[in-house]
Amino acid sequence: MIKHYFKIAFRNILHDKTYSTINLLGLSVAIACCFLLIFWIKFEISFDAFNPKADRIYKVLQVEKRTTGLHKSDLIRPGIAHQLKDAFPEIEAAAVVHHEKLPFSYEDQEGILVDYVNTTADYLDLFPYEFTEGSRESVLQSQGSIMTEEVARKFFGNESAIGKKVSFAGSLICTVMGVVKMPPNTHLKFDILSFDRSIGYGINYVLIKDNVRFSEKQLRRLANFLSTTRETDHKLTFLPLRDTHLHSPQEIAGDSNWQTFGDLKQIYLFSFAALLILLIAIINYINTSTARAITRMKEVGIRKVTGSTQRQLILRFLSEAFLISFASVLLALVAAKLFFPEFSMIMGNQTRFVFDPNTIVIALSVCLVITLLSGGYAAFYLSSFDPSTVLRGGMQPGSKEGLRKILITLQFFLAIGILICTSFIYKQIHFMFNADTGVDKKNIIVLDTSLWYQVESFIKVIKQENPNIIDATIAYGAPYNVEYGYSGVSWEGSPDAVKEVEFAQAFCDYHYAHTFGLKMLEGEFIQPGWGWWQNTDDKSYNIVVNEAFTRLMGMNNPVGTTVKYDWGIEGKIIGVVKDFNFKPLKEPITPLIICYNPEACNKVYIKTTGKNPKETLEYILKKYKEMFAADRPDLNRPIMYHTVEDDFNAMYKNELRTAKMLTVFSIISLCLSIMGIFGMVSFMIEKRTKEIAIRKINGAETKDVIVLFIKDFARLIGIASAVAIPVSFVILYNWIQTYAYRTTLSWWIFAGVAVLVFLITSGLIAIQVLLTTRQNPVESLRSE
């Protein structure tokens, strides 16, 4: 019986090729989108799940009260993990992790820039790894280092890494005693791992003993533990390891360049968008199925008269829906497999698309759900016809015309809404990349280095020898993304609350203002010839502040005022710089301190004219290598460089990723809506062929027929737009408030998207009507 159902279903699918193709293609595309997101979401929520102790491991965070709210940090000075372990017997193990990006070299090979992590012995008790060479015991016994497989291949090729030594600057030497596989779904990554019990500053983790539950009193002791080690009102909080990837505070996730963090909001957003696309495809199926019911009314009537029950008819029509759904799922899996590498690149993860048992279960589940959602309504509707009424020709499916119009309107609503939201996201991104932030960002090359004091001679040489180089500066960070910040700053007469204000600090040299086009309002900028902070020269502590700092001070001219840091250093204000956006445009301009500290700087920013960019870059790299090799022959460092454009892409990677994905979703949703409209228009034209022929015989022109059909859809688009525009406005208004500096919600984009959808729909209708009206009306009437 089941075989018979599927045979008849297969014949019906082949009979209605146009509508079957629309349903099959639409569902395949929508399901492929869902599959891609399902596998991405599975990967995102799987972070650190491979660790058998994950539910007992916590990252220690420091909570500081600031005027902007509670500020959380995972870098605690000094590291307190072991102090916690000594004070609380419930803690089984503790580890401190300190990260640096350093160039290591092997023998005479050119150095490789790696993520070097220094940690304590308990680390491997908290984070187990699969060893491909060596073992945990051999590493701990020898106090050797661990290297990942990927980096071991870069250093040693196919040779064994055990016992080989790699070094940084000829002084930091690591003997490799273990090689491990680095899981792609862990937030804590490294290339080389070494052990040192004396680490004091870094990220702290603790492992709680099994089946331990802390009392309220113990939790308070844990929270206030910092005050027992030093004079502070900062608190501690503990973040579960499994929550680190998706639930870390933004101030931690935004500043880290070696830990891997996800974005929970994007998971929700993309999942919602994929479900909307699936809904559009299901609406297409329901519309075409119910619309085609007129051609199958007699079939249903005859089957009921010959003894078929409603249950049998429902199974028959569901089997047809299942065939389409099953074929769609298979095509979707193939498409997802083909596009998964590009999708993973956009999403920025390293997961793989694997056809495992879980994939099969997901595929079958999706197939069944789609069958019930898309075919269920049509099956119950078709099987409900009264046979006597149908066979007399007294029943028409017009009773469902209202439902079809509602579903088509819903399609237009979704397509218009997604297009509007995507347009404004791109508008905001364009605004961020082109806004006047008070910083000149054009034609700047960034060299990752640690030249410190040697950089001055390098800058002098390249400026003199190459006319395409305007200036260059060394800094800890660029003025469009100052990362370093703290509180505890005060001055004479300042209220106590000032110490809770967050201050950003930029470390740089005296070329900084000219290189980035910063404007001085009062006083002077950092001057040549100053020594480092630890020198006795008072000028070394002089600082430049921005306008936001002076507003906080309440002084019109703060030059000459002494600023105190809570760790004892004092610096005199020598100048005021005009406010500029030193953080991404999501954040407002806050008080900023600029000072000279060469040993905190690790990047050289080189401003060029933009002429002959390839030759200029080659010259810079060549000269850098020449001077560096002559100055520091003990350090075989690779040359790492990028551009300010790369920095901006990294700063706004979430926005760019959202824009790319919503663009894809917008195009897909629009195409699916057009496919649905094509099917409905084809059905309407087929049903009204006689009417069109009679109108032509009576003198109607083709344009009149086109307008007749467009009117029906124009009303639906108008209703959909009237709902989609205010809903989109509310969503976008709330989204754009998350940016301190934002674009405007231009009315013309709202109207333009609605007009665009109307024009596309009208063009589609016009083409189909033109093809129909070109037929001889007499032949149309004869065929009717």
Side-chain angles (χ1 to χ4, degrees):
M1 181 64 71
I2 298 296
K3 180 180 179 181
H4 175 71
Y5 286 163
F6 280 113
K7 183 183 293 185
I8 298 299
F10 185 70
R11 289 175 180 172
N12 286 326
I13 291 172
L14 292 179
H15 178 70
D16 288 332
K17 294 183 180 65
T18 300
Y19 304 101
S20 298
T21 301
I22 291 174
N23 291 329
L24 186 63
L25 186 58
L27 287 174
S28 298
V29 172
I31 296 171
C33 292
C34 290
F35 273 135
L36 289 172
L37 283 171
I38 285 172
F39 284 98
W40 174 64
I41 292 171
K42 278 180 59 182
F43 176 76
E44 288 292 297
I45 64 178
S46 72
F47 266 67
D48 297 300
F50 66 90
N51 191 331
K53 302 176 184 178
D55 60 335
R56 297 191 287 129
I57 299 175
Y58 296 83
K59 176 188 272 191
V60 185
L61 304 182
Q62 177 178 269
V63 183
E64 180 184 352
K65 184 180 178 182
R66 296 183 179 177
T67 54
T68 54
L70 296 179
H71 181 275
K72 296 180 179 179
S73 171
D74 58 359
L75 291 173
I76 305 176
R77 187 193 302 267
I80 61 164
H82 295 289
Q83 295 174 341
L84 285 168
K85 179 183 175 183
D86 294 338
F88 294 89
E90 296 86 357
I91 296 178
E92 180 180 324
V96 185
V97 178
H98 178 72
H99 167 266
E100 292 180 274
K101 210 168 186 67
L102 298 174
F104 277 81
S105 58
Y106 172 63
E107 295 180 345
D108 295 330
Q109 296 178 4
E110 183 173 312
I112 297 174
L113 200 64
V114 302
D115 285 317
Y116 174 73
V117 170
N118 200 13
T119 185
T120 49
D122 281 356
Y123 181 87
L124 294 180
D125 291 329
L126 279 74
F127 303 101
Y129 296 98
E130 180 184 347
F131 280 81
T132 57
E133 289 190 73
S135 65
R136 175 183 179 277
E137 291 73 20
S138 63
V139 169
L140 295 179
Q141 288 174 5
S142 63
Q143 287 295 300
S145 298
I146 296 175
M147 187 177 285
T148 62
E149 276 188 316
E150 183 180 358
V151 174
R153 282 195 295 269
K154 290 180 180 179
F155 276 112
F156 315 117
N158 295 325
E159 297 180 9
S160 173
I162 301 300
K164 290 186 169 64
K165 292 179 172 61
V166 294
S167 64
F168 163 68
S171 57
L172 177 56
I173 300 174
C174 296
T175 303
V176 182
M177 297 304 296
V179 178
V180 299
K181 290 184 176 180
M182 177 58 66
N185 55 341
T186 179
H187 83 282
L188 196 62
K189 297 182 182 295
F190 64 83
D191 294 321
I192 298 176
L193 183 75
S194 292
F195 299 89
D196 183 356
R197 172 75 186 186
S198 63
I199 297 175
Y201 177 61
I203 301 174
N204 295 260
Y205 294 89
V206 293
L207 172 66
I208 308 301
K209 290 180 179 179
D210 201 10
N211 298 322
V212 166
R213 295 293 181 270
F214 286 99
S215 65
E216 288 296 326
K217 183 178 179 180
Q218 288 171 314
L219 290 174
R220 285 194 297 271
R221 283 184 59 208
L222 283 166
N224 296 317
F225 185 76
L226 274 178
S227 62
T228 66
T229 64
R230 54 190 168 94
E231 185 177 347
T232 181
D233 58 356
H234 298 170
K235 307 292 184 182
L236 292 181
T237 188
F238 298 84
L239 181 67
L241 182 66
R242 289 295 308 276
D243 291 346
T244 303
H245 182 65
L246 291 175
H247 300 279
S248 287
Q250 181 56 43
E251 56 266 34
I252 294 176
D255 288 341
S256 178
N257 60 0
W258 66 288
Q259 298 177 83
T260 302
F261 297 99
D263 190 332
L264 193 60
K265 291 181 181 178
Q266 282 194 342
I267 290 179
Y268 291 142
L269 174 63
F270 295 157
S271 299
F272 184 65
L275 290 176
L276 291 183
I277 289 175
L278 186 59
L279 179 60
I280 292 174
I282 291 173
I283 289 173
N284 281 350
Y285 189 96
I286 294 173
N287 274 340
T288 55
S289 298
T290 54
R292 298 301 296 173
I294 189 172
T295 63
R296 305 187 67 175
M297 287 168 50
K298 288 187 178 180
E299 174 193 344
V300 173
I302 292 173
R303 289 188 182 279
K304 280 194 170 184
V305 168
T306 55
S308 293
T309 64
Q310 185 173 7
R311 177 177 175 275
Q312 290 174 321
L313 290 172
I314 290 173
L315 289 174
R316 184 182 300 279
F317 293 122
L318 281 177
S319 64
E320 185 174 320
F322 178 80
L323 274 182
I324 292 179
S325 301
F326 186 73
S328 299
V329 168
L330 291 180
L331 288 175
L333 283 172
V334 174
K337 178 69 174 177
L338 291 175
F339 290 103
F340 199 75
E342 289 77 12
F343 174 78
S344 295
M345 189 176 299
I346 293 175
M347 303 310 288
N349 58 38
Q350 306 172 23
T351 185
R352 294 180 298 118
F353 191 94
V354 182
F355 288 101
D356 54 15
N358 288 334
T359 306
I360 297 173
V361 171
I362 292 173
L364 291 176
S365 299
V366 170
C367 183
L368 292 174
V369 170
I370 299 299
T371 298
L372 294 175
L373 289 176
S374 61
Y377 178 81
F380 283 98
Y381 170 54
L382 289 170
S383 63
S384 66
F385 294 162
D386 179 64
S388 59
T389 305
V390 169
L391 292 175
R392 286 198 302 268
M395 182 177 181
Q396 295 295 327
S399 60
K400 301 299 177 184
E401 196 69 30
L403 174 64
R404 285 198 293 276
K405 288 182 178 180
I406 291 174
L407 294 177
I408 292 173
T409 304
L410 180 59
Q411 277 188 318
F412 282 129
F413 164 76
L414 296 176
I416 291 171
I418 295 176
L419 281 170
I420 288 174
C421 291
T422 303
S423 300
F424 276 107
I425 288 175
Y426 265 111
K427 189 169 185 281
Q428 176 64 21
I429 290 175
H430 181 269
F431 172 80
M432 291 187 298
F433 274 81
N434 295 277
D436 182 9
T437 61
V439 178
D440 184 359
K441 304 181 292 292
K442 295 180 180 178
N443 305 317
I444 296 180
I445 299 169
V446 187
L447 291 183
D448 294 315
T449 177
S450 294
L451 284 177
W452 295 353
Y453 301 101
Q454 302 97 319
V455 75
E456 181 58 37
S457 58
F458 171 69
I459 292 174
K460 184 178 181 180
V461 168
I462 61 175
K463 285 175 63 178
Q464 289 177 346
E465 294 185 358
N466 195 312
N468 289 328
I469 296 174
I470 298 172
D471 206 345
T473 182
I474 187 170
Y476 176 75
Y480 47 79
N481 191 17
V482 176
E483 298 178 358
Y484 193 74
Y486 50 84
S487 60
V489 175
S490 62
W491 52 89
E492 185 177 353
S494 63
D496 292 339
V498 165
K499 291 189 175 182
E500 296 180 356
V501 175
E502 180 176 1
F503 293 83
Q505 183 152 346
F507 301 111
C508 61
D509 65 5
Y510 66 92
H511 298 276
Y512 198 69
H514 182 246
T515 301
F516 289 104
L518 306 183
K519 298 178 181 178
M520 295 299 298
L521 300 179
E522 297 176 20
E524 61 183 7
F525 198 71
I526 296 169
Q527 296 299 302
W530 289 3
W532 186 46
W533 273 21
Q534 293 185 4
N535 291 351
T536 56
D537 183 2
D538 290 340
K539 292 182 179 179
S540 300
Y541 301 101
N542 288 350
I543 62 174
V544 176
V545 299
N546 66 346
E547 291 177 281
F549 195 111
T550 66
R551 287 193 294 270
L552 180 66
M553 298 180 74
M555 299 181 184
N556 292 328
N557 187 357
V559 174
T561 302
T562 298
V563 173
K564 301 177 182 178
Y565 299 84
D566 62 356
W567 56 84
I569 294 178
E570 295 182 356
K572 186 174 67 175
I573 297 177
I574 62 168
V576 178
V577 67
K578 182 178 175 61
D579 272 346
F580 59 91
N581 294 96
F582 57 85
K583 279 288 190 182
L585 296 182
K586 275 192 171 184
E587 304 179 34
I589 297 176
T590 56
L592 171 69
I593 298 170
I594 303 175
C595 63
Y596 181 65
N597 189 354
E599 293 188 19
C601 300
N602 54 8
K603 292 183 177 66
V604 179
Y605 296 85
I606 303 172
K607 175 72 174 177
T608 71
T609 61
K611 299 177 181 178
N612 303 317
K614 184 179 178 181
E615 291 79 2
T616 303
L617 175 61
E618 289 176 351
Y619 165 79
I620 291 171
L621 298 180
K622 179 183 177 182
K623 185 58 63 175
Y624 172 77
K625 192 168 185 179
E626 286 177 359
M627 295 188 66
F628 190 76
D631 208 18
R632 293 285 301 278
D634 60 318
L635 182 54
N636 192 8
R637 180 189 299 272
I639 302 176
M640 307 295 294
Y641 67 91
H642 59 280
T643 65
V644 165
E645 183 180 354
D646 298 328
D647 280 348
F648 261 67
N649 289 339
M651 283 171 55
Y652 298 113
K653 62 181 179 181
N654 284 345
E655 286 82 0
L656 290 169
R657 180 187 301 164
T658 299
K660 288 178 183 178
M661 291 305 300
L662 285 185
T663 299
V664 174
F665 290 150
S666 297
I667 294 172
I668 291 174
S669 64
L670 184 60
C671 290
L672 290 178
S673 298
I674 289 173
M675 289 168 58
I677 294 165
F678 175 83
M680 291 307 302
V681 171
S682 298
F683 167 73
M684 291 170 62
I685 291 175
E686 181 180 338
K687 189 174 71 171
R688 300 171 67 177
T689 301
K690 183 187 291 187
E691 176 191 342
I692 294 172
I694 293 173
R695 286 180 180 275
K696 288 200 67 178
I697 290 174
N698 289 328
E701 296 184 6
T702 300
K703 67 178 183 180
D704 298 324
V705 180
I706 292 174
V707 170
L708 181 69
F709 279 89
I710 288 177
K711 279 183 179 179
D712 292 335
F713 284 92
R715 295 190 190 98
L716 302 182
I717 294 174
I719 295 171
S721 300
V723 179
I725 289 175
V727 170
S728 300
F729 178 84
V730 172
I731 293 173
L732 289 166
Y733 179 82
N734 288 300
W735 169 74
I736 211 166
Q737 296 306 310
T738 61
Y739 292 87
Y741 303 91
R742 46 191 177 265
T743 186
T744 56
L745 297 177
S746 308
W747 66 268
W748 58 268
I749 292 183
F750 292 97
V753 169
V755 171
L756 175 65
V757 172
F758 171 75
L759 292 176
I760 292 174
T761 303
S762 299
L764 187 65
I765 292 172
I767 291 172
Q768 289 182 277
V769 172
L770 279 172
L771 294 175
T772 302
T773 54
R774 289 174 65 181
Q775 299 176 4
N776 189 330
V778 176
E779 293 297 327
S780 299
L781 290 172
R782 182 181 293 122
S783 65
E784 285 288 314

